[in-house]
Amino acid sequence: MTRPINFCSGPSQLPLSVVQRMADELMDFRGTGISVMEHSHRDPMIVALFAETAERLKALMGIPSGYHVLFLAGGATLQFAQVPMNLLPRGGRPCYVETGIWSEKAIAECRRYGEPVVIASGRSSNFTDVLPADQWVVPEDAGYVHVTTNETIQGVELFESYAHIQAPVVADMSSHILSRAMSVSEFGLIYAGAQKNLGTAGVTVVIVRDDLIGAALPITPGMLSYQTQAANESMINTPPVGAVYVLSLVLEWLEAQGGVAAIELVNAEKAARLYAAIDGSALYHNPVDPRVRSRMNIPFVLRDASLDTAFLAHCAEARLLNLKGHRSVGGMRASIYNAMSLGEVQTLIDVMADFETRRA
Ligand SMILES: *Cc1c(COP(=O)(O)O)cnc(C)c1O
């Protein structure tokens, strides 16, 4: 039986070799005779696994010194609260760029603790575009600027530099971390849930500049203090060891692909081909401004929506899974993260073309 191609936005397809390695090691992690999930997190082997994984991430992303890498639980969604809880005591106004549904959620969560200022919004374009970063009006008393650098649902990705922004830039990179080179030093804090481009659900990577690690709001649970987590190597309590293990395998796989620079070339080609196929067809349509089209999440609609069900059935028959768009925007969406090969994207393009030909 051939493996289906899984276009799910998250949890998403893992590299086949990673899944095979998980299967191989399940009965015996590093010669111990038991699985990684059955080891104490205090075992030096697991402490070393966490340290190694952080080092791999630092090397792959080019994280300079002066940053902590934390492996936390609660998903990217918990960061919507954890960021203001930890950064508001430093003073300044929490500023947000509104690019779509995930940034809306981050803004709403911030409102529980402070008064978020929306400094740029794509709302008037129905989140198919957003003002370029050099035109954002950042207040002088900004405490931080939060950006969702890839909006997973709308398929909007920001490719800009933030170096000109004085306040710390906080980025939700959940759905495109490690998909292309990024200059980490432009950011004060980066977070990403692992289940899109890093591995499996259960761990959220937080990369935080040391000077932003300080006292949190008094109401903050100890678990949610970056300071306490950093002081305890992300092991205040039992951490998600299994998810960190999968993350370590995905990072090793990415190293073997040639790292971020190599995967970026593949990702650019995958997205270019799929957008060209959509734009060149009479049936499919993507509404996003080409300047901000995501390379990872490509939403599209069928111009004749009455064909949606038939299209999804046609894809399912070809073993292409999870192409239905998010319930809030409808239509279709192909999530083509690092683990999706160029050949697999080409299969989707061929199946889409075949459907269009038959229906024409
Ligand atoms: C998926 C996603 C989230 C939510 O992630 P959880 O880990 O499920 O909380 C937040 N932001 C972005 C950009 C996402 O793609």
Side-chain angles (χ1 to χ4, degrees), residues 5-305:
I5 307 176
N6 182 5
F7 293 91
C8 190
S9 60
S12 58
Q13 175 168 296
L14 289 164
L16 179 57
S17 64
V18 166
V19 180
Q20 280 165 339
R21 180 126 172 237
M22 286 159 66
D24 291 347
E25 293 182 349
L26 190 58
M27 297 303 291
D28 182 8
F29 177 66
R30 298 187 181 177
T32 56
I34 59 175
S35 78
V36 68
M37 274 88 82
E38 296 166 280
H39 280 278
S40 163
H41 55 291
R42 308 290 176 199
D43 186 310
M45 189 179 257
I46 300 302
V47 174
L49 173 72
F50 274 54
E52 272 166 41
T53 307
E55 287 313 311
R56 279 186 199 284
L57 188 68
K58 284 182 182 176
L60 280 164
M61 281 187 83
I63 302 174
S65 62
Y67 286 81
H68 267 75
V69 174
L70 305 177
F71 299 124
L72 307 181
T77 302
L78 191 56
Q79 294 307 308
F80 299 165
Q82 202 165 350
V83 163
M85 282 179 158
N86 281 270
L87 299 191
L88 287 180
R90 302 176 71 253
R93 298 203 286 165
C95 298
Y96 285 75
V97 178
E98 191 178 47
T99 42
I101 285 174
W102 289 115
S103 53
E104 279 179 340
K105 287 182 191 275
I107 293 163
E109 193 65 22
C110 175
R111 214 164 268 133
R112 294 170 181 268
Y113 312 103
E115 289 176 30
V117 185
V118 176
I119 61 164
S121 174
R123 185 176 296 281
S124 63
S125 70
N126 199 21
F127 299 121
T128 57
D129 197 4
V130 71
L131 207 62
D134 57 8
Q135 293 174 39
W136 299 347
V137 181
V138 183
E140 251 173 52
D141 61 349
Y144 63 84
V145 175
H146 180 284
V147 187
T148 308
T149 45
N150 187 64
E151 277 284 358
T152 320
I153 294 170
Q154 274 81 9
V156 167
E157 182 168 4
L158 306 186
F159 293 92
E160 312 173 274
S161 164
Y162 310 98
H164 62 287
I165 296 174
Q166 297 298 313
V169 177
V170 174
D172 177 357
M173 292 193 185
S174 293
S175 48
H176 75 160
I177 190 168
L178 291 177
S179 68
R180 59 180 168 87
M182 310 228 197
S183 180
V184 174
S185 62
E186 289 183 7
F187 300 92
L189 191 151
I190 292 167
Y191 63 89
Q195 68 274 20
K196 274 115 187 196
N197 223 1
L198 292 175
T200 180
V203 65
T204 306
V205 169
V206 175
I207 302 160
V208 54
R209 210 170 63 208
D210 295 348
D211 63 288
L212 300 182
I213 301 177
L217 292 177
I219 55 155
T220 306
M223 275 290 291
L224 299 189
S225 154
Y226 293 137
Q227 195 172 43
T228 313
Q229 287 287 5
N232 289 277
E233 311 290 342
S234 310
M235 290 194 184
I236 296 174
N237 69 336
T238 318
V241 175
V244 172
Y245 160 72
V246 177
L247 168 61
S248 77
L249 298 186
V250 170
L251 297 181
E252 242 185 271
W253 169 85
L254 183 54
E255 286 166 5
Q257 306 307 301
V260 172
I263 208 84
E264 176 168 1
L265 294 176
V266 181
N267 287 334
E269 177 65 18
K270 278 153 48 183
R273 278 201 206 177
L274 184 49
Y275 282 117
I278 292 168
D279 293 345
S281 102
L283 178 60
Y284 308 109
H285 173 68
N286 168 286
V288 178
D289 188 291
R291 188 180 63 84
V292 292
R293 279 177 164 183
S294 171
R295 289 182 186 162
M296 295 282 102
N297 309 98
I298 303 185
F300 59 93
V301 295
L302 275 61
R303 290 187 193 273
D304 177 357

